[in-house]
Structure formats: C-alpha cells, structure tokens
C-alpha cells in the first residue's frame, strides 16, 4: 500500500467543513458534515456523502465525484438538514450505519444560544427521515462563562 498526496475533499468559498466518518472496514466510508462551525455560519446545514466503489456518492448511490475530480461542494452531497429553510444552524455529532448499511446521523440544531435541539436522521432507502429527539436548553449551564473559550 502506498499513500498518495493529500487533497481537499470538500470545498466551499471561505468555508471549513466539519465532518464525522464511519466505515464498515470493507467497502464503504460514510460521512456527515457541515459547511463550517455553527458559530461562524448562521445557515450551517447538515450534509451526507459516502465513499464506495471508487467514488463519492449520495445515499441513493448517485455519483458526486471521483477521487480524480475532487473537491466537491457541500451542495453536491445529500442535504439532510437545511438551516436556511429551517431558520436554525446545525452541528454534526456522529454518523453510523444500520444493519442494512444505510446511514444514520445524530446532530444538533441551535435556534438560539438558549435553545438547542438534538435530532436523528436516517436514510430509509428512498429518502431521509428526520426526527427531533429532545430540546436541551443552552450550550452550558452558565452560558457566558464558557462561550469565550469556544468562539
């Protein structure tokens, strides 16, 4: 095995995607990502793509890009949560896959600093099913004390 030169996977103007990955260890790497940190981007959405059979794909198998045509834009992948339409920025917590190999994503949305909501999205085989699990309140019990260290 030989390593290749590093290359950019996801690209957007002035954006720094945050991603989580899960692999079956054989043929598929699932990835859930946002365009940037939610403190930097008010319309930070959640996207999904996977690497399988030599290409990056949407959940339905549609090819986004080959390794040779990287990088791809977030908008080329599946839009799991649309922050612009919903009016609240998002942040990916984790990605995994079920027994059928279909992706599942845990993430949070932030209508405000005092209103955080945790969500679960899963690919059904024909579309994304997205459910709010719970509303949790603020970032930390004493918001002002901790936020400066995370900005």
């Amino acid at each position: 095995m030989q390593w290749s030169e590093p290359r950019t996977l996801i690209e957007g103007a002035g954006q720094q995607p945050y991603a989580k990955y899960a692999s079956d260890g054989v043929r598929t790497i699932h990835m859930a990502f946002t365009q940037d940190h939610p403190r930097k981007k008010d319309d930070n959405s959640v996207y999904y793509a996977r690497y399988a059979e030599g290409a990056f794909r949407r959940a339905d198998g549609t090819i986004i890009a080959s390794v040779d045509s990287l990088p791809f834009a977030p908008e080329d992948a599946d839009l799991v949560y649309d922050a612009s339409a919903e009016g609240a920025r998002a942040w990916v917590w984790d990605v995994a896959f079920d027994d059928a190999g279909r992706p599942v994503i845990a993430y949070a949305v932030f209508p405000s600093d005092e209103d955080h909501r945790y969500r679960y999205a899963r690919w059904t085989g024909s579309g994304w099913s997205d459910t709010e699990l719970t509303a949790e309140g603020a970032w930390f019990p004493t918001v002002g004390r901790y936020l400066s260290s995370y900005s």
Side-chain angles (χ1 to χ4, degrees):
M1 177 180 198
Q2 183 176 339
W3 292 97
S4 65
E5 291 297 315
R7 55 178 52 159
T8 301
L9 177 62
I10 306 163
E11 184 172 71
Q15 299 173 348
Q16 181 181 356
Y18 281 72
K20 298 290 185 175
Y21 302 91
S23 175
D24 65 5
V26 180
R27 61 178 85 98
T28 304
I29 302 170
H30 299 271
M31 52 191 281
F33 59 95
T34 61
Q35 304 103 307
D36 211 328
H37 190 286
R39 289 301 237 180
K40 295 181 181 177
K41 188 163 178 55
D42 288 338
D43 61 347
N44 211 40
S45 297
V46 175
Y47 298 89
Y48 169 82
R50 73 172 187 244
Y51 179 78
E53 301 170 3
F56 293 89
R57 302 168 180 274
R58 290 176 171 246
D60 69 3
T62 303
I63 294 176
I64 298 169
S66 68
V67 172
D68 294 332
S69 64
L70 290 174
F72 62 85
E75 297 77 23
D76 296 335
D78 279 344
L79 178 60
V80 176
Y81 173 82
D82 185 347
S84 293
E86 298 295 331
R89 62 192 185 269
W91 184 253
V92 172
W93 289 108
D94 207 359
V95 64
F97 50 92
D98 64 17
D99 291 340
R102 293 182 294 223
V104 295
I105 301 169
Y107 68 99
V109 298
F110 312 112
S112 73
D113 285 347
E114 290 75 36
D115 183 7
H116 294 189
R117 300 184 177 248
Y118 293 93
R119 302 187 66 88
Y120 173 83
R122 66 180 188 85
W123 178 252
T124 65
S126 59
W128 287 96
S129 173
D130 191 353
T131 304
E132 182 175 305
L133 299 173
T134 189
E136 280 299 315
W139 291 92
F140 295 100
T142 53
V143 175
R145 181 175 171 197
Y146 295 102
L147 282 183
S148 61
S149 64
Y150 290 95
S151 299

